[in-house]
Amino acid sequence: MGKHIWSLEDLLKATGGELISGNRQTAEFSGISTDSRKIEKGNVFVALVGERFDGHDFLMEVLEKGAECLIVDKLPDSFDVTELAIRASSMKTFPFIIKVPNTLKALGDIAHYRRSLFTGPVVGVTGSNGKTSTKEMIAIVLDGSFRVLKNPLNWNNNVGVPLSLLSLEDHHTAVVIEMGINHPGEMDELVAIAEPTIGVITNIQKAHLEGLGSEEQICAEKTKLWHALPKGKGCAVVNFDDPWLSKTSKNLEDIAIVSFGFRKDADVTVEGDVNCSRNGTSFIARSGNSRAEVNLSVLGEHFALNALSALAVGIHLGIPLETGAERLSRWKPVAHRMECLILPDGSVIVDDTYNANPGSMIRAIETVSKMAYAENKPFIAIIGDMKELGPSSEELHRLVGRTLAEKKPTGIFTLGDFAKFIAEEGRRAGVPTVIEAVNHADLLESLTEHWIPGAWLLVKGSRSMRMEQIVEGLIADAET
């Protein structure tokens, strides 16, 4: 039980690095960190080079905080070895310094070494939409049968995945790792570090086109998760509703396949309708002869699909459908993901500002417009730019605009250089109120001027658009 203790020999073996300070006496360290602000006594500090900061600039600082081992790819001029030697006389031991060719690769190598000591299931989760929600759902389905480690928040890149694995403690018996990619080759790196035994791909959509080029390329990169699964032991969890994934899964050999989806021939599917309300989403899940009611505290049919994938993972690992369904009732959505906020005048703000791409945008529009019309209330869309769509940006924003206009909203309010194309399509289709705002304050002012009590409002945009500021402003206005 307890935290993993790192020996000097482990670190040298994992990284292939050169010990340039300290002798080869037996030494043990209590944890690995890349954040100079969070160093604890006895830690190993890996000096990463980022866009804004270079960890090598903080070597003396982390030693003063109690770090006992440094992993570096250079020793900067500001690092005074003479001063360090003087300070070392007051320390128990002279600090260890391991030099490697690349500290980011070393971080991955250390995480992979830790992973190699773990014998439980490792679930890798990727896809264009719904990765974080699906990761969280899988973790809660497994919790109770396993002691689960999962990425905190969305630590899903070549820094976050290693750091997540380095949080593995001796009591953990299962790992759920979200893996996000935005350029070719990134999935190769992540699967080499994490060595997943179960691969879940939520869907293939037009996202990160700037780095990945096309849906075909996105599929090729993301399905590397499946191809990395261990032969004879791995399991691919396949979205049967996704044509890219359904087709690609037919070429997988010597690994188990568990399918999920609304298609009735999927291994884990829905019996009857998916019911959405202000209180959440409910449906009957079916697997073989088993049936179980699932209640999710979030609005949106697409969350039912995420839940089916989590139930599929559970079933593969021996967790009955009924048990998985009961555990999902305790799942709470990530902040700013289809959160329903009801104002005093009866208006409903659906806060889906966590992020956006064309697929998630269209699903959100369909969900919220359906709710508005079921209650015979106006539907208003407040949309910010969708980023990282490359040369297809205008075309995809116009597609969203046409889809939105078909839902006959009362108003469209946009913010951003690309969202203006959504506004143009709305205006062309005759939407009564279409406003292109120049900034957040202007957008809030326009919404106030055109406010309709009791309306359903969808607020959505890419993370960098900070559309949550609109939600916060509307709530503040309602309270005054």
Side-chain angles (χ1 to χ4, degrees):
M1 299 290 284
K3 288 187 176 181
H4 183 75
I5 300 298
W6 289 89
S7 72
L8 179 63
E9 288 301 318
D10 285 342
L11 295 173
L12 291 170
K13 187 187 300 183
T15 63
E18 175 190 1
L19 185 65
I20 62 172
S21 172
N23 58 44
R24 276 187 170 273
Q25 65 184 16
T26 301
E28 292 184 336
F29 313 106
S30 59
I32 313 283
S33 178
T34 60
D35 190 337
S36 61
R37 299 165 298 179
K38 298 179 180 178
I39 283 290
E40 296 178 2
K41 185 171 176 53
N43 279 180
V44 177
F45 177 67
V46 183
L48 297 184
V49 179
E51 291 181 8
R52 292 182 298 163
F53 300 105
D54 184 341
H56 296 85
D57 295 336
F58 302 96
L59 299 183
M60 292 302 295
E61 179 184 322
V62 298
L63 288 173
E64 288 172 357
K65 289 181 176 178
E68 294 182 2
C69 181
L70 308 176
I71 297 181
V72 302
D73 54 36
K74 61 189 175 187
L75 285 177
D77 295 338
S78 60
F79 188 76
D80 192 330
V81 179
T82 304
E83 181 185 349
L84 178 61
I86 294 170
R87 294 188 187 190
S89 63
S90 63
M91 301 176 183
K92 284 185 180 179
T93 59
F94 198 86
F96 296 90
I97 302 176
I98 298 173
K99 192 170 187 298
V100 296
N102 182 294
T103 50
L104 179 59
K105 184 179 185 305
L107 181 69
D109 290 340
I110 297 167
H112 178 246
Y113 183 85
R114 179 68 186 97
R115 160 66 183 97
S116 70
L117 303 175
F118 180 74
T119 57
V122 176
V123 185
V125 182
T126 194
S128 298
N129 296 317
K131 293 183 293 296
T132 303
S133 296
T134 300
K135 177 255 297 183
E136 295 290 332
M137 286 183 179
I138 293 170
I140 208 162
V141 166
L142 300 190
D143 187 39
S145 303
F146 296 87
R147 292 183 291 279
V148 182
L149 170 73
K150 63 182 181 179
N151 318 59
L153 304 174
N154 64 336
W155 284 18
N156 62 12
N157 62 9
N158 58 358
V159 175
V161 167
L163 288 175
S164 298
L165 288 168
L166 289 171
S167 299
L168 259 173
E169 297 184 8
D170 295 343
H171 66 274
H172 287 123
T173 57
V175 175
V176 185
I177 291 286
E178 177 184 340
M179 299 174 170
I181 62 171
N182 59 19
H183 61 264
E186 196 170 4
M187 183 59 74
D188 296 283
E189 297 173 19
L190 298 181
V191 295
I193 293 167
E195 287 190 2
T197 58
I198 299 171
V200 181
I201 306 177
T202 58
N203 47 53
I204 301 298
Q205 301 277 341
K206 291 181 173 69
H208 300 298
L209 292 177
E210 201 167 52
L212 293 171
S214 66
E215 279 183 285
E216 185 175 11
Q217 182 71 13
I218 292 168
C219 182
E221 290 297 322
K222 289 188 182 290
T223 52
K224 287 177 178 178
L225 170 59
W226 286 344
H227 294 297
L229 299 172
K231 299 299 182 185
K233 299 178 182 177
C235 175
V237 179
V238 180
N239 180 354
F240 253 26
D241 294 352
D242 188 294
W244 288 103
L245 296 175
S246 180
K247 179 182 176 182
T248 304
S249 69
K250 293 175 182 175
N251 299 322
L252 297 175
E253 296 180 356
D254 203 19
I255 61 172
I257 292 177
V258 180
S259 61
F260 70 93
F262 295 139
R263 273 175 50 176
K264 300 310 175 188
D265 57 340
D267 295 324
V268 186
T269 186
V270 167
E271 192 165 272
D273 296 327
V274 176
N275 301 305
C276 294
S277 73
R278 295 185 182 198
N279 299 320
T281 302
S282 61
F283 60 94
I284 303 297
R286 174 173 62 79
S287 176
N289 294 322
S290 298
R291 310 282 188 281
E293 183 175 356
V294 178
N295 294 290
L296 303 173
S297 57
V298 69
L299 173 65
E301 219 174 80
H302 47 291
F303 287 100
L305 207 56
N306 297 343
L308 292 175
S309 72
L311 292 170
V313 173
I315 288 166
H316 175 70
L317 292 174
I319 298 169
L321 182 72
E322 298 83 355
T323 303
E326 188 279 324
R327 289 172 180 171
L328 279 172
S329 68
R330 302 196 299 271
W331 171 78
K332 301 296 180 190
V334 177
H336 309 298
R337 288 274 174 91
M338 296 297 285
E339 283 190 84
C340 285
L341 306 167
I342 302 173
L343 300 185
D345 69 358
S347 301
V348 182
I349 300 173
V350 180
D351 176 358
D352 200 30
T353 60
Y354 185 90
N355 214 339
N357 59 38
S360 67
M361 187 73 82
I362 288 171
R363 282 202 295 271
I365 288 167
E366 289 173 343
T367 298
V368 180
S369 62
K370 189 175 180 180
M371 294 300 301
Y373 300 138
E375 295 186 1
N376 198 27
K377 296 292 176 64
F379 165 49
I380 295 169
I382 306 159
I383 308 295
D385 282 354
M386 300 177 290
K387 301 293 189 181
E388 296 184 46
L389 297 177
S392 301
S393 291
E394 179 178 344
E395 172 195 345
L396 291 171
H397 280 82
R398 289 193 181 280
L399 171 65
V400 167
R402 290 192 294 273
T403 304
L404 174 56
E406 287 171 4
K407 304 301 178 185
K408 302 196 181 307
T410 304
I412 297 175
F413 296 76
T414 66
L415 179 65
D417 296 334
F418 293 110
K420 68 181 181 184
F421 298 121
I422 295 175
E424 285 181 14
E425 293 297 331
R427 202 173 285 118
R428 182 176 291 136
V431 173
T433 302
V434 179
I435 304 289
E436 296 174 43
V438 296
N439 54 41
H440 292 85
D442 181 40
L443 181 50
L444 281 167
E445 187 176 335
S446 298
L447 285 165
T448 302
E449 290 174 5
H450 296 84
W451 189 256
I452 304 175
W456 279 75
L457 300 92
L458 168 65
V459 188
K460 188 167 178 65
S462 279
R463 182 87 299 275
S464 61
M465 295 302 294
R466 310 295 295 178
M467 296 299 286
E468 70 275 10
Q469 292 180 20
I470 302 302
V471 176
E472 292 161 4
L474 291 174
I475 291 171
D477 286 347
E479 292 174 347
T480 56

